[in-house]
Amino acid sequence: MGSVSSFFGALCGGETKKEEERLLRANDRAFNLSQQYAKNGIKTSKYNVFSFLPLNLFEQFSRLANAYFLFLLILQLIPQISSVPWFTTAVPLTIVLSVTAVKDANDDIKRHKQDKQVNNRLVKILLNGELREEKWMNVQVGDIVKLESNQFVTADLLLLSSSEPLNLIYVETAELDGETNLKVKQGLTVTGEMGDDIEALSAFRGEVRCEPPNNHLDKFKGTLTLDGQQYGLDNDKVVLRGCTVRNTEWCFGLVIFGGPDTKLMQNSGRTTFKRTSIDQLMNILVLCIFGFLATMCAVMTVGHAIWEEKEGSAFTAFLPRKPGVDVPLSSFYSFWSYVIVLNTMVPISLYVSVEMIRLGNSFFIDWDRKMYHPGKDTPAQARTTTLNEELGQIKYIFSDKTGTLTQNIMTFNKCSINGKNYGELYDFSGHRIEITEKTQRLDFSWNQLADPTFIFHDYSLLETIKEGNPEAQAFFRLLALCHTVMPEEKKEGELNYQAQSPDEGALVTAARNFGFVFRSRTPETITLMEMGQKVTYELLAVLDFNNTRKRMSVIVRDPEGKMTLYCKGADTIIYERLQPSCNKLKEVTTAHLNEYAGDGLRTLVLAYKDLEESYMGRWMERHHEVSTAMEGREEGLDELYEEIEKDLMLLGATAVEDKLQDGVPQTIEQLAKADIKIWVLTGDKQETAENIGYSCNMLREEMKDIFIVAANTADGVKEELQNARRKMCPGAAEEPTVIKARAGLLWLQKTQTVLDENVDGEYGLIINGHSLAHALGQDLELELLRTACLCKTVICCRVTPLQKAQVVELVKKYKQAVTLAIGDGANDVSMIKAAHIGVGISGQEGMQAVLSSDFSFAQFRYLQRLLLVHGRWSYIRMCKFLRYFFYKNFTYTLVHFWYAFFCGFSAQTVYDDWFITLYNTVYTATPVLALGLFEQDVNDRWSSHYPQLYSPGQLNKFFSKKAFFHSVMISCYTSLVLFFLPWAAMHDTVRDDGKDIADYQSFALLTQTCLLIVVSAQMFLDTDYWTAMNQLFLWGSLAAYIAITFTLFSNGLFFMLASSFPFIGWTPSLAQ
């Protein structure tokens, strides 16, 4: 029995074994097929011709609203229950399902076409000793493929050989991470020896053992076994699908992962779906409406039972009951009949209209020319269409500094070498001279390889270099050797550097102009031109930079055989690793660093270490062992790096300038007036961040105090936070007031809210990364939050990407306020995903932030228009739309409630059947849609000029439970008037000849006409901003009602379909 269940489980995919390690053999399709690895074809489409209808309908009816209306339709098909024709629900439901299905089908057809285009691309594969052109979808794991320049990479490949020296290839990774700068990949020397020899490649029988498919773009672990020898494989030896080969004539690669297993496809999963606070409130309100609907139906049922008992027997003579239908059963039928009649409290068109309004407002953001940046040819983009109104409710903004507030275009500005400061100009009396555009620049014409765009003014540094100062030369030699920059030299002497970060590009360019020109690199060498002399260094090891290490080192051997480790990194990290003999120099350099940071410059410290041959030999052996290990590779390498990066000798420090973006101070000032709190989360030094804070108008001299939290212990951090809080709010309680409540759908979500405290005056808070680590602990997080929220400005320095996300989560958890995070780099992605709304800036650090964001643009200053104009308008439009929508539908529905008291609670409808069908889909659909798309209380200029207009959104003033119940109460009153005035006007009314003129259809026509006029008049009163579309939709809807009503009651339709389209005054009794 177990084997049978296992068989069916495997058949249905229920017991798919998770891959723990991948083993493959080159040129051995039989073995690789036995492992059942995925082929290289991809499928991003969801449906095919046969599965579309059932799958799409299943997905649509999985939504609560659609399932509810399907349930109503089924009820309407039961004759004993329904007093409303089935088409009153079927027509709008069919329209909604059809529109959604057409949209889904169109999207899926596009995906099918894209899949077909990609799968049918051609690539050369090595099969049976010869190269053949095959479609991408036919490529399999273990195949060897040949790629040429400007060709897309077919699958995730292990690089074997290339046309470039030492197995180098250049790739562009724009499709993976958005970065357009070239990156270098390098194959193993042992495989590179095969070159483009087809016989050697066909005879290659290497065995690869590596990690299973995953989505880590920057990590890869594996080993290649060839002729009994093991070779370590890392990310530098793997070329990923999605890359494009550049500047490389040809290369060969071994397919490791194909199709859905590639890292590109593994990263194409859906991101977390974000919902707005209005969405969450609507879910709660819809549940309340369902409860209200059930209560009304219960009241009607009780009324029906009482009426049947007391009055119903009088009508049985000419309206006999059906056999077997007694009062209890009749009352049961009545309950479900009223569920059908009153269902329009939550109309199906509500959800469709909300999505259309959001989509339209997203297009307005995309089309806004005032948010287009011509320099980068980059428009604003709403990457998510479901969060527009949330932009009008932002209370906290969390911003990166570099590349977000600043331009991230670095220029080498100053440096400290062996205790001497360079970069300033002084006159004969020793006074500092201000450097302007007219100040004379250094002449680098003596250096034929100098960058003509490089600007420096201090001639003393150039003299020091030319005099042969050893420390100065070692300083620039380090800058020329310790980096990951790739050079391009299309013409002799015309060097172009491809840098992964602007900092590195600025430092290497500075070294180039001062005579230490980085000329070329291979996996084993780096070639410089040192003061006109060509020098080639053997590259022994590269100790990579990451956010934890915050430093980078290279180990090189010069032509004389001397081995040196060169290291650059953050001052706090390098200082911990210096020799004690550097203490005096460290004090002088620290003073210079503080001066640079005070000027808002970004700083790095440089150091070196001479290495012994014997120690280095042992270290390299251990390095090889660790780098080929499958388990614990990263930890082992970290230990080795820590061991060798000790007892360093200090050389000096660099300072590069990153200027503010245009309009940043003005934008921050306007956002502050809108009562939006801005927190800056940066990895820079405290002094640098503080200086930028003043430049941006975030920190101001008129502030009462600016608190700095820099303690190294939890107790110290607690004391500093408490002292700051007590000074700002002396009378506040020591323990915060935390209000616990329940929220969300069915009130299942537990919330904790820390109330805002009043503070007199403006304060600022600056907290360091090591202090923040303690403050984010469970014991101190509330103290941090209380103190920070009392301040107008908060700046967190030296923070890691994880800490950025933790700060955002802390505010979300305890403040119940809408948060926005904005950044431009990969280190901002976690913060962007954590916030309610993520904004990406397409800057110098690639597109990772943009790819993870909900909205994107090119400059920080556009945030003002996004929030104060588009966000505010979207919020007002959505709130007005919802208030009006609930008003018109409650008014329409409650007329049935009052009518029930005059029709024996029989679930008889007030309106004509076709009016019921068309009310929400034709007569009132377009005017309210125009309101949600075009409404403005003030124009964009006034919205920006008076930021205080933004505050109602933060307080949820325009749509809340209170506003909803206010709309319901007005609807109750309006429905009373709309029912009783026509009833009173027609009650006991007779013609001149004494006959009654009042009948059911006359009353229905009069009531529905009054209803439509009243709700249209309310729309007229609610609209502040009239456009041609508003006029067209409002008057057009009324004209459509008149035209359709005259048509429905016309002679022609009566003669053709007398049973469906009767004359006014016709009753079933007259036809019998």
Side-chain angles (χ1 to χ4, degrees):
M1 188 71 185
S3 60
V4 174
S5 61
S6 301
F7 169 76
F8 281 106
L11 189 66
C12 299
E15 291 190 13
T16 305
K17 188 177 179 182
K18 187 178 180 182
E19 190 176 344
E20 295 181 358
E21 185 179 71
R22 175 154 295 201
L23 176 66
L24 62 104
R25 294 175 185 167
N27 293 315
D28 191 346
R29 277 199 165 186
F31 173 81
N32 297 325
L33 283 171
S34 69
Q35 304 296 316
Q36 298 182 341
Y37 296 137
K39 291 187 178 181
N40 200 45
I42 62 166
K43 181 187 175 186
T44 60
S45 56
K46 295 166 64 177
Y47 315 108
N48 57 38
V49 175
F50 302 104
S51 68
F52 173 74
L53 197 60
L55 270 180
N56 188 260
L57 286 176
F58 175 77
E59 284 183 356
Q60 293 206 58
F61 285 122
S62 298
R63 298 168 189 159
L64 181 63
N66 290 346
Y68 168 68
F69 290 109
L70 178 64
F71 173 67
L72 287 176
L73 177 59
I74 294 170
L75 288 180
Q76 286 177 304
L77 295 174
I78 302 173
Q80 293 88 342
I81 291 176
S82 181
S83 60
V84 178
W86 60 270
F87 57 79
T88 58
T89 297
V91 170
L93 181 60
T94 303
I95 291 172
V96 169
L97 294 177
S98 301
V99 169
T100 307
V102 168
K103 182 182 79 69
D104 291 344
N106 184 54
D107 292 343
D108 209 56
I109 288 169
K110 290 178 182 177
R111 285 192 286 265
H112 271 287
K113 288 180 178 178
Q114 191 175 10
D115 290 349
K116 186 177 181 181
Q117 179 192 358
V118 171
N119 289 331
N120 288 331
R121 286 175 180 167
L122 297 177
V123 67
K124 292 178 180 176
I125 308 179
L126 189 58
L127 287 176
N128 302 322
E130 62 179 4
L131 283 172
R132 298 180 188 172
E133 276 203 340
E134 284 283 354
K135 294 179 179 178
W136 276 28
M137 60 184 177
N138 297 328
V139 175
Q140 297 181 17
V141 170
D143 288 349
I144 293 178
V145 301
K146 180 182 180 182
L147 299 174
E148 296 172 349
S149 187
N150 299 322
Q151 196 171 356
F152 289 109
V153 177
T154 312
D156 289 355
L157 308 176
L158 170 65
L159 181 60
L160 298 178
S161 61
S162 81
S163 58
E164 299 301 300
L166 297 162
N167 310 334
L168 285 177
I169 72 164
Y170 301 95
V171 293
E172 183 183 283
T173 60
E175 197 173 326
L176 281 173
D177 56 19
E179 295 185 9
T180 54
N181 55 294
L182 296 183
K183 296 182 176 65
V184 67
K185 299 287 182 180
Q186 175 212 357
L188 291 166
T189 305
V190 67
T191 59
E193 293 169 353
M194 296 185 290
D196 59 350
D197 186 345
I198 300 300
E199 289 186 11
L201 289 163
S202 300
F204 179 65
R205 291 295 181 268
E207 185 177 273
V208 174
R209 191 181 297 272
C210 67
E211 63 190 14
N214 59 69
N215 61 357
H216 301 304
L217 293 174
D218 56 346
K219 291 181 181 178
F220 180 80
K221 286 194 299 185
T223 57
L224 170 67
T225 304
L226 184 63
D227 299 331
Q229 292 289 322
Q230 268 199 353
Y231 303 90
L233 303 178
D234 56 24
N235 204 47
D236 289 335
K237 297 173 180 61
V238 175
V239 189
L240 302 181
R241 179 175 180 145
C243 298
T244 307
V245 178
R246 302 288 190 201
N247 300 349
T248 306
E249 188 178 342
W250 54 261
C251 67
F252 285 87
L254 172 67
V255 178
I256 299 175
F257 301 122
D261 290 345
T262 58
K263 292 183 183 284
L264 175 68
M265 297 304 295
Q266 292 279 317
N267 274 282
S268 61
R270 293 179 180 176
T271 55
T272 306
F273 181 67
K274 297 179 178 180
R275 301 191 72 88
T276 67
S277 55
I278 286 183
D279 266 338
Q280 295 166 357
L281 178 59
M282 273 178 59
N283 288 338
I284 295 171
L285 293 179
V286 166
L287 278 180
C288 293
I289 291 170
F290 283 151
F292 183 49
L293 174 64
T295 303
M296 289 177 65
C297 292
V299 170
M300 298 295 99
T301 303
V302 172
H304 177 83
I306 294 172
W307 188 88
E308 285 287 350
E309 285 288 347
K310 293 188 175 181
E311 306 288 340
S313 57
F315 293 86
T316 53
F318 54 90
L319 283 176
R321 292 194 180 102
K322 292 184 179 180
V325 179
D326 54 8
V327 172
L329 184 58
S330 176
S331 300
F332 176 77
Y333 287 161
S334 175
F335 178 85
W336 294 109
S337 297
Y338 271 109
V339 168
I340 296 170
V341 170
L342 304 177
N343 80 83
T344 45
M345 284 185 178
V346 189
I348 191 169
S349 57
L350 171 66
Y351 296 94
V352 178
S353 301
V354 165
E355 294 307 315
M356 291 179 69
I357 289 169
R358 285 174 172 165
L359 184 63
N361 284 311
S362 297
F363 283 134
F364 293 151
I365 293 173
D366 295 344
W367 297 336
D368 191 343
R369 291 188 178 183
K370 292 182 180 179
M371 295 172 69
Y372 169 76
H373 190 263
K376 295 180 183 176
D377 189 25
T378 306
Q381 185 180 11
R383 296 172 53 82
T384 304
T385 60
T386 57
L387 301 173
N388 301 326
E389 67 268 16
E390 197 101 305
L391 290 170
Q393 299 178 275
I394 303 299
K395 183 66 177 178
Y396 291 89
I397 292 176
F398 301 91
S399 174
D400 177 41
K401 182 188 77 67
T402 305
T404 303
L405 302 178
T406 59
Q407 296 177 16
N408 204 15
I409 300 175
M410 309 296 179
T411 55
F412 184 82
N413 196 289
K414 297 176 184 178
C415 62
S416 171
I417 302 175
N418 197 31
K420 186 173 180 182
N421 188 11
Y422 296 95
E424 299 284 3
L425 293 181
Y426 299 91
D427 58 20
F428 292 108
S429 60
H431 292 101
R432 194 162 154 181
I433 301 173
E434 184 181 356
I435 295 175
T436 64
E437 292 182 4
K438 296 181 179 179
T439 306
Q440 186 176 355
R441 297 162 50 177
L442 281 185
D443 181 12
F444 291 105
S445 58
W446 58 274
N447 182 355
Q448 294 181 352
L449 294 173
D451 183 348
T453 62
F454 180 79
I455 299 173
F456 203 76
H457 300 91
D458 188 355
Y459 58 89
S460 64
L461 178 56
L462 185 56
E463 289 181 353
T464 304
I465 291 288
K466 289 185 174 180
E467 288 170 1
N469 182 284
E471 288 83 7
Q473 293 197 350
F475 181 92
F476 285 107
R477 186 178 294 115
L478 186 153
L479 294 181
L481 289 170
C482 186
H483 55 78
T484 58
V485 174
M486 292 303 303
E488 282 186 307
E489 191 168 2
K490 296 179 180 177
K491 293 182 181 179
E492 181 67 27
E494 288 188 13
L495 273 174
N496 183 32
Y497 290 144
Q498 295 281 347
Q500 293 190 29
S501 76
D503 301 68
E504 280 202 328
L507 295 176
V508 176
T509 301
R512 168 184 175 180
N513 277 63
F514 283 104
F516 287 77
V517 185
F518 168 54
R519 197 66 184 268
S520 64
R521 79 186 310 149
T522 70
E524 279 113 13
T525 63
I526 296 178
T527 301
L528 308 183
M529 293 292 290
E530 297 187 356
M531 305 304 290
Q533 300 295 318
K534 184 177 179 181
V535 182
T536 300
Y537 292 86
E538 183 184 352
L539 182 60
L540 301 176
V542 177
L543 285 58
D544 294 325
F545 173 90
N546 61 41
N547 285 322
T548 305
R549 281 169 43 77
K550 294 186 178 178
R551 64 188 183 278
M552 175 191 177
S553 300
V554 293
I555 301 173
V556 297
R557 190 199 306 268
D558 66 16
E560 285 77 36
K562 180 182 176 184
M563 287 187 293
T564 308
L565 178 144
Y566 290 108
C567 182
K568 68 178 182 183
D571 54 356
T572 53
I573 302 297
I574 302 296
Y575 280 175
E576 293 172 357
R577 291 160 175 79
L578 291 179
Q579 258 194 11
S581 60
C582 299
N583 286 342
K584 189 174 180 180
L585 177 58
K586 184 169 75 171
E587 290 178 9
V588 179
T589 306
T590 302
H592 292 159
L593 283 170
N594 292 336
E595 182 185 327
Y596 301 156
D599 293 337
L601 305 179
R602 293 165 59 86
T603 58
L604 284 176
V605 172
L606 313 184
Y608 73 97
K609 177 182 179 180
D610 292 325
L611 301 170
E612 295 179 2
E613 187 79 38
S614 57
Y615 169 76
M616 195 59 199
R618 295 193 302 272
W619 189 88
M620 290 296 291
E621 286 178 8
R622 290 156 58 205
H623 184 268
H624 177 73
E625 289 175 10
V626 173
S627 61
T628 56
M630 284 296 294
E631 298 296 330
R633 184 183 296 185
E634 286 85 0
E635 295 80 4
L637 287 174
D638 284 341
E639 288 180 15
L640 280 175
Y641 295 168
E642 283 288 338
E643 176 190 313
I644 202 168
E645 290 174 325
K646 287 181 179 176
D647 297 326
L648 304 177
M649 299 297 295
L650 182 61
L651 272 175
T654 62
V656 294
E657 183 179 12
D658 187 10
K659 294 181 179 178
L660 282 179
Q661 290 183 14
D662 295 338
V664 167
Q666 296 82 356
T667 299
I668 289 176
E669 185 179 358
Q670 291 297 90
L671 293 176
K673 287 179 181 177
D675 200 25
I676 298 174
K677 296 188 176 183
I678 302 177
W679 294 20
V680 174
L681 312 176
T682 177
D684 279 338
K685 283 171 61 69
Q686 175 189 317
E687 295 83 2
T688 305
E690 187 176 347
N691 184 271
I692 294 295
Y694 279 108
S695 304
C696 293
N697 280 341
M698 294 178 63
L699 299 176
R700 294 179 292 279
E701 296 294 342
E702 57 267 24
M703 280 185 167
K704 282 194 170 183
D705 204 348
I706 296 171
F707 304 104
I708 296 175
V709 178
N712 291 310
T713 64
D715 290 337
V717 172
K718 183 177 181 180
E719 184 180 352
E720 290 182 352
L721 287 172
Q722 286 180 338
N723 290 340
R725 176 176 53 78
R726 288 165 185 159
K727 184 172 182 180
M728 288 185 285
C729 208
E734 283 300 307
E735 294 300 320
T737 304
V738 181
I739 298 176
K740 295 184 179 180
R742 287 187 175 271
L745 203 61
L746 300 176
W747 289 268
L748 296 175
Q749 179 186 344
K750 295 181 179 178
T751 63
Q752 299 180 77
T753 307
V754 176
L755 296 178
D756 288 334
E757 298 173 84
N758 294 323
V759 60
D760 185 21
E762 293 185 355
Y763 295 87
L765 176 68
I766 299 171
I767 182 168
N768 261 312
H770 54 264
S771 304
L772 186 63
H774 294 296
L776 288 170
Q778 195 169 359
D779 297 334
L780 286 180
E781 62 178 11
L782 285 177
E783 191 63 56
L784 169 66
L785 186 70
R786 284 184 76 191
T787 307
C789 289
L790 288 171
C791 299
K792 189 71 174 177
T793 298
V794 178
I795 298 176
C796 303
C797 319
R798 296 291 199 198
V799 294
T800 64
L802 177 61
Q803 286 176 330
K804 290 184 178 184
Q806 287 174 332
V807 171
V808 176
E809 292 287 1
L810 177 64
V811 174
K812 282 176 65 179
K813 180 180 178 182
Y814 288 110
K815 279 299 175 183
Q816 311 305 321
V818 182
T819 59
L820 179 147
I822 180 169
D824 73 317
N827 60 337
D828 303 316
V829 169
S830 55
M831 172 177 73
I832 285 171
K833 287 184 174 181
H836 291 99
I837 290 179
V839 177
I841 290 184
S842 49
Q844 304 293 322
E845 293 187 24
M847 299 285 286
Q848 298 97 322
V850 170
L851 296 174
S852 303
S853 66
D854 305 305
F855 300 88
S856 67
F857 40 71
Q859 295 275 292
F860 181 84
R861 69 177 185 268
Y862 299 141
L863 184 63
Q864 177 182 342
R865 187 168 178 84
L866 182 71
L867 299 187
L868 302 187
V869 178
H870 290 287
R872 187 173 163 279
W873 280 350
S874 295
Y875 174 71
I876 289 172
R877 289 165 181 168
M878 184 59 71
C879 293
K880 275 197 170 186
F881 163 81
L882 290 173
R883 290 203 310 267
Y884 177 78
F885 206 99
F886 285 123
Y887 161 77
K888 76 180 182 66
N889 277 80
F890 268 85
T891 302
Y892 164 88
T893 307
L894 288 172
V895 172
H896 289 299
F897 181 79
W898 309 123
Y899 182 58
F901 293 92
F902 295 85
C903 69
F905 303 96
S906 62
Q908 172 66 51
T909 57
V910 179
Y911 314 114
D912 171 68
D913 292 342
W914 282 103
F915 182 81
I916 294 172
T917 306
L918 300 175
Y919 178 73
N920 275 311
T921 54
V922 176
Y923 300 148
T924 61
T926 52
V928 73
L929 206 59
L931 180 76
L933 287 173
F934 305 114
E935 179 64 1
Q936 299 176 20
D937 55 346
V938 295
N939 61 29
D940 57 341
R941 189 167 62 86
W942 288 106
S943 292
S944 296
H945 194 64
Y946 292 100
Q948 295 83 355
L949 293 170
Y950 187 82
S951 58
Q954 298 168 324
L955 303 172
N956 291 315
K957 284 195 171 180
F958 292 153
F959 189 73
S960 60
K961 293 173 186 174
K962 183 178 178 181
F964 168 75
F965 287 117
H966 183 258
S967 295
V968 172
M969 295 308 295
I970 294 176
S971 298
C972 289
Y973 170 74
T974 307
S975 64
L976 268 170
V977 174
L978 282 173
F979 174 76
F980 282 105
L981 278 184
W983 175 83
M986 300 188 72
H987 184 62
D988 293 335
T989 306
V990 294
R991 299 190 315 198
D992 292 342
D993 57 3
K995 291 184 178 181
D996 290 342
I997 65 169
D999 59 79
Y1000 166 70
Q1001 285 192 322
S1002 300
F1003 176 70
L1005 183 63
L1006 178 60
T1007 306
Q1008 66 195 34
T1009 303
C1010 291
L1011 169 70
L1012 199 60
I1013 291 171
V1014 167
V1015 295
S1016 298
Q1018 186 64 47
M1019 168 64 69
F1020 186 88
L1021 295 172
D1022 282 349
T1023 304
D1024 292 322
Y1025 183 73
W1026 285 95
T1027 66
M1029 298 300 290
N1030 293 79
Q1031 298 276 7
L1032 174 66
F1033 288 159
L1034 183 61
W1035 299 114
S1037 296
L1038 289 172
Y1041 169 71
I1042 295 169
I1044 291 172
T1045 302
F1046 272 102
T1047 303
L1048 291 178
F1049 294 103
S1050 65
N1051 290 350
L1053 280 178
F1054 170 70
F1055 288 125
M1056 287 187 290
L1057 300 166
S1059 60
S1060 300
F1061 299 97
F1063 286 123
I1064 292 177
W1066 176 90
T1067 63
S1069 59
L1070 294 175
Q1072 292 174 353

